[in-house]
Amino acid sequence: MQYPSLIFQPNSVPTSVSLWDAANIFKYATSWFTAIWLALDKSQVSQTSSFRRTFIRHLVWEAETFVFPYINICATSNTSLALPEYLNGVVTMLTHWQVGIVDDNGLFRLFHTHQFNMAGDLMVCYQIVSNYAYSWWNDQFDVHLFEMPNHVPVEEVIQLYKHHMQQLPAAYLLLPEMHRHDVGPDPLLTNLWVIKDNLGDLGAQLEQCLSSKMQDANVALKAMTTLEGLVDDLHDAIAASQQLLDGTGSMQELGKYQ
């Protein structure tokens, strides 16, 4: 499967971010926003107005540093990339705050009272790990000021999500790294090629799955055929035994009358 690179040249220095990178960054962002929500949900600190205001300032910094730039990268490259469900909800909340639909208290309430529509363990489903960079939510941020950098370079963000993947169980590490190709002059055509690659990969996976199922079915059919022969032999043996018993019974009845 191939994913195009999104090429940028800030200060004439080219920087490449692939769609695969962006998707992983959004997945990583979903994980740490969930970790923030869990920390807030378990926190015993009094949620004063100062606490809520400081929390929102940090939450907005998270989005402006690790989420919005990569949404903008996709948008300015005329590339559409879906956000994970929870991250999409967080971005919606933050957008409402940005345009004045809700204030700090409203944003805090929306984030804090969000209900996850899912089954299973939250930490497993959202791949929560032990260590996050810039994990201000674990350091009494309402008492000790957290130094928030103005920006985090793309290269560092990519390394952060790779470090995040390394902390996950070994099964996640078996996922292959995707091939990449540079974006062409026509973004729409590039996206069509990505869709074609996705469909081709999906078709190959389905073909492999069907082939495996057919092999399993053939094995099961052979086993059933073998069992069918054994069952037929058993029926024949039972029928022969019944005939023998019937013959013996008839002979005994005949002996009574002689």
Side-chain angles (χ1 to χ4, degrees), residues 6-22:
L6 314 175
I7 307 298
F8 296 87
Q9 294 188 349
N11 300 323
S12 299
V13 178
T15 299
S16 175
V17 181
S18 74
L19 289 180
W20 182 244
D21 291 327

Side-chain angles (χ1 to χ4, degrees), residues 230-248:
L230 294 175
V231 170
D232 289 341
D233 292 342
L234 180 60
H235 284 166
D236 292 342
I238 292 175
S241 298
Q242 187 63 47
Q243 290 177 356
L244 181 61
L245 290 173
D246 291 343
T248 303

Side-chain angles (χ1 to χ4, degrees), residues 31 41 57-58 61 195 256:
S31 174
D41 190 56
R57 184 161 62 90
H58 286 75
W61 172 81
I195 294 173
K256 291 180 181 180

Side-chain angles (χ1 to χ4, degrees), residues 25 114 116 131 150 171 194 204:
I25 290 170
H114 175 81
F116 290 86
N131 300 313
N150 293 329
V194 172

Side-chain angles (χ1 to χ4, degrees), residues 197-216:
D197 291 338
N198 285 337
L199 290 176
D201 184 73
L202 178 60
Q205 292 181 27
L206 288 174
E207 182 179 3
Q208 183 179 4
C209 180
L210 288 174
S211 176
S212 175
K213 294 299 182 184
M214 288 297 296
Q215 291 177 2
D216 292 341

Side-chain angles (χ1 to χ4, degrees), residues 13-76:
V13 178
T15 299
S16 175
V17 181
S18 74
L19 289 180
W20 182 244
D21 291 327
N24 275 293
I25 290 170
F26 292 147
K27 191 174 183 179
Y28 176 43
T30 302
S31 174
W32 79 59
F33 273 116
T34 309
I36 294 172
W37 184 91
L38 287 168
L40 178 63
D41 190 56
K42 296 177 180 178
S43 175
Q44 301 297 319
V45 178
S46 178
Q47 297 174 357
T48 63
S49 59
S50 175
F51 174 92
R52 294 194 299 270
R53 186 166 54 252
T54 304
F55 180 87
I56 292 304
R57 184 161 62 90
H58 286 75
L59 195 69
V60 170
W61 172 81
E62 287 280 356
E64 291 181 343
T65 305
F66 297 105
V67 180
F68 290 147
Y70 301 95
I71 293 177
N72 293 337
I73 284 175
C74 294
T76 55

